[in-house]
Amino acid sequence: MFDKILIANRGEIALRVLRACKELGIAAVAVHSTADADAMHVRLADESVCIGPPPAKHSYLNIPALLAACEITGADAVHPGYGFLAENARFAEILAEHNVHFIGPLPEHMRLMGDKIAAKRAAKELGIPTVPGSDGAIGSDAEAHRLARDIGLPVMIKAAAGGGGRGMKVVRVENELAAALDMARAEAKAAFGDGTLYLEKYLERPRHIEIQILGDGKGHAIHLGERDCSLQRRHQKVWEEGPSPALNTAMRDEIGETVAKAMRAINYLSVGTVEFLYEDGKFNFIEMNTRIQVEHPVTEMITDIDLVVEQIRVAAGNNLALTQSEVTFHGHAIECRVNAENPVSFRPSPGRIIHYHPPGGLGVRIDSAVYHGYAIPPFYDSLVGKLIVRGKTRSECLMRLRRALDEFVVEGIDTTLPLFRALARETNIIDGDYHIHWLEEYLARGALDQ
Ligand code: MV4
């Protein structure tokens, strides 16, 4: 096992990793920018190192500074959290060259999944159902026209280097295809330095359902069920839950086993998430994330498995401690990402928290790094914290969520708590009857405006 882990992140995920280190008896090193000197992850770590000025480019993304921090503290492994360097294959390679372990997937798997065309081709070859579309990159406009006619309109143009919703175009009529291709190519080139495009059948109102997996890099891999992350705004997840209201046990077992089998075939190491658009009873692979995700607590609450602990164990070369039949699902969990934003305009609202009283009680978990009197800096994401609630049934979970949201006090800044108080009382949400566009349509109706 590792002796000392350097946590190359900040905020709630740095604290989350720190907790796993403590439970494993591993020393933890925090790193921080000058803006985060009084952050909770710095206070609770065994040691800390300042790695640069506030902009992430000069601190949390500063590879030489992180290497120096490993050297100074004698850390033998780095946990990247999510965001920042979490899916950077080159970072993992550089660490290896300096005899420091990267707590995450192999560089080759991060590279494969970072190329959306290669990822989709690999998924298809591994028996994972994919969205109908071009077999690889679009060669010419003529080919795109042929394909669009073949698979039928509407189609979606996507960038090979994209992901997270950037560089996508929906085409509903054929005479708009050529212009959309030109625009998408130019945008992709400007944003990613790579204008390679591919094309897919556009799915109108799917759900976003993702399968959590865990592998040990030695041919053992298991799935830990799904999370339904359909409630998003501008490609930012807002509410995640598991199990999905749209699936039953047989459906979960089938897609879960398909994904786990694929991960065994590539000797996948670490945690990972395979994302699907789910419509008309069918799963359609879109991409794979090779990191611990923001919403991982949903899975922890329904499986009782500590995903970060398991991620550290397999990174240290241990075999998977669990078999698929030892993974069981209990009850229901919902996570709300509470942001420091105005709940109507969604404008960021950094600043000092002058009153802070998080909810508690049975089945209530808060993953947050804020505290009474803490000032949220303006340089990073606007997450105040995640409220994760579990219950024996979805309806008990919703009841408990409403109760927890009503207890939650955060004063001094605007937060999205009022949005969640409204969502937890909406008929469509209570019925589990929603899709990837539901939240934006709801907000466009002005449901929350005074
Ligand atoms: C799609 C799609 C419809 N059809 N692909 C957006 C983020 C990127 N990861 C994939 N995305 C989409 N791909 C096909 N073939 C609709 C979306 C999409 C979306 C997906 C998941 C969650 C929220 C979304 C919001 C808008 C569009």
Side-chain angles (χ1 to χ4, degrees):
M1 189 41 90
F2 305 125
D3 293 316
K4 194 185 272 193
I5 292 174
L6 182 139
I7 304 165
N9 215 302
R10 65 178 303 282
E12 68 85 20
I13 193 63
L15 209 48
R16 172 69 190 84
V17 174
L18 184 60
R19 287 171 172 150
C21 292
K22 298 227 158 164
E23 292 188 13
L24 285 166
I26 300 171
V29 179
V31 295
H32 64 91
S33 70
T34 53
D36 279 339
D38 54 6
M40 193 56 113
H41 76 282
V42 176
R43 294 191 185 193
L44 293 186
D46 298 292
E47 289 172 82
S48 64
V49 180
C50 180
I51 50 165
K57 185 170 174 270
H58 301 294
S59 51
Y60 299 103
L61 293 169
N62 183 345
I63 294 176
L66 290 163
L67 285 173
C70 289
E71 177 77 32
I72 292 163
T73 58
D76 55 351
V78 169
H79 195 300
Y82 52 69
F84 297 133
L85 296 165
E87 292 171 281
N88 187 316
R90 190 69 202 121
F91 179 52
E93 287 168 350
I94 292 170
L95 287 176
E97 285 161 17
H98 291 79
N99 300 311
V100 178
H101 294 268
F102 176 76
I103 301 173
L106 300 172
E108 68 202 73
H109 290 148
M110 289 193 273
R111 272 211 185 89
L112 173 68
M113 299 308 170
D115 176 340
K116 303 304 161 189
I117 291 178
K120 191 175 173 187
R121 183 178 297 128
K124 198 170 171 183
E125 283 169 4
L126 290 163
I128 296 173
T130 56
V131 191
S134 60
D135 199 18
I138 301 171
S140 63
D141 276 27
E143 189 191 333
H145 276 87
R146 229 176 306 123
L147 262 164
R149 261 173 241 159
D150 259 23
I151 61 179
L153 291 162
V155 293
M156 191 170 221
I157 303 166
K158 296 185 175 184
R166 295 190 304 166
M168 306 186 320
K169 292 262 175 294
V170 182
V171 177
R172 294 188 175 276
V173 288
E174 201 179 330
N175 65 18
E176 286 170 8
L177 182 59
L181 285 166
D182 287 345
M183 275 230 284
R185 193 152 27 229
E187 279 178 28
K189 200 137 200 179
F192 318 112
D194 175 4
T196 310
L197 303 175
Y198 64 109
L199 194 139
E200 285 182 347
K201 176 82 191 163
Y202 178 68
L203 304 174
E204 294 279 0
R205 282 170 174 268
R207 303 178 80 109
H208 172 127
I209 299 180
E210 56 186 34
I211 306 290
Q212 175 70 55
I213 64 104
L214 171 66
D216 64 8
K218 301 172 199 178
H220 308 294
I222 55 174
H223 77 86
L224 297 158
E226 82 283 7
R227 296 181 290 260
D228 194 318
C229 310
S230 301
L231 295 172
Q232 310 200 4
R233 178 184 172 272
R234 298 194 178 171
H235 303 294
Q236 294 295 312
K237 291 168 186 163
V238 168
W239 163 306
E240 304 102 347
E241 62 180 298
S244 169
L247 300 191
N248 61 37
T249 301
M251 296 152 95
R252 168 172 320 106
D253 288 350
E254 191 191 333
I255 192 65
E257 191 45 40
T258 299
V259 170
K261 200 174 148 202
M263 295 301 123
R264 283 169 208 138
I266 63 169
N267 287 333
Y268 187 79
L269 168 66
S270 197
V271 293
T273 306
V274 179
E275 295 187 348
F276 293 94
L277 296 179
Y278 178 80
E279 192 172 69
D280 300 331
K282 287 203 282 284
F283 285 92
N284 302 273
F285 171 91
I286 44 170
E287 36 195 90
M288 177 172 180
N289 299 316
T290 53
R291 61 170 185 276
I292 189 80
Q293 288 192 278
V294 177
E295 61 272 25
H296 76 275
V298 167
T299 300
E300 294 185 326
M301 298 289 262
I302 61 172
T303 61
D304 251 314
I305 293 168
D306 186 320
L307 282 169
V308 180
V309 163
E310 296 308 323
Q311 185 189 23
I312 294 170
R313 283 196 176 128
V314 294
N318 294 289
N319 292 332
L320 263 193
L322 291 149
T323 61
Q324 190 65 58
S325 61
E326 286 166 338
V327 178
T328 52
F329 302 99
H330 304 278
H332 197 92
I334 299 172
E335 173 179 278
C336 298
R337 293 193 194 185
V338 179
N339 281 341
E341 288 169 356
N342 181 281
V344 176
S345 68
F346 292 93
R347 280 183 39 146
S349 177
R352 193 166 301 277
I353 295 171
I354 57 164
H355 286 291
Y356 184 64
H357 182 83
L362 181 64
V364 177
R365 166 175 171 182
I366 303 276
D367 275 21
S368 173
V370 310
Y371 52 87
H372 192 89
Y374 175 70
I376 295 180
F379 309 104
Y380 312 106
D381 68 17
S382 56
L383 190 66
V384 173
K386 304 178 304 201
L387 167 62
I388 311 106
V389 169
R390 62 150 290 146
K392 286 189 290 295
T393 60
R394 189 169 184 272
S395 90
E396 185 184 74
C397 189
L398 276 166
M399 176 270 302
R400 186 166 285 155
L401 175 62
R402 288 189 286 268
R403 185 275 285 174
L405 287 164
D406 289 346
E407 272 181 41
F408 209 155
V409 177
V410 183
E411 281 175 20
I413 56 169
D414 283 343
T415 76
T416 49
L417 280 167
L419 168 65
F420 291 112
R421 291 184 186 119
L423 289 178
R425 291 169 174 86
E426 274 297 320
T427 303
N428 285 158
I429 302 294
I430 290 167
D431 293 345
D433 178 18
Y434 58 80
H435 50 78
I436 61 170
H437 304 296
W438 188 92
L439 181 59
E440 301 229 25
E441 290 172 8
Y442 171 78
L443 295 168
R445 290 198 292 273
L448 236 71
D449 308 17
Q450 306 279 240

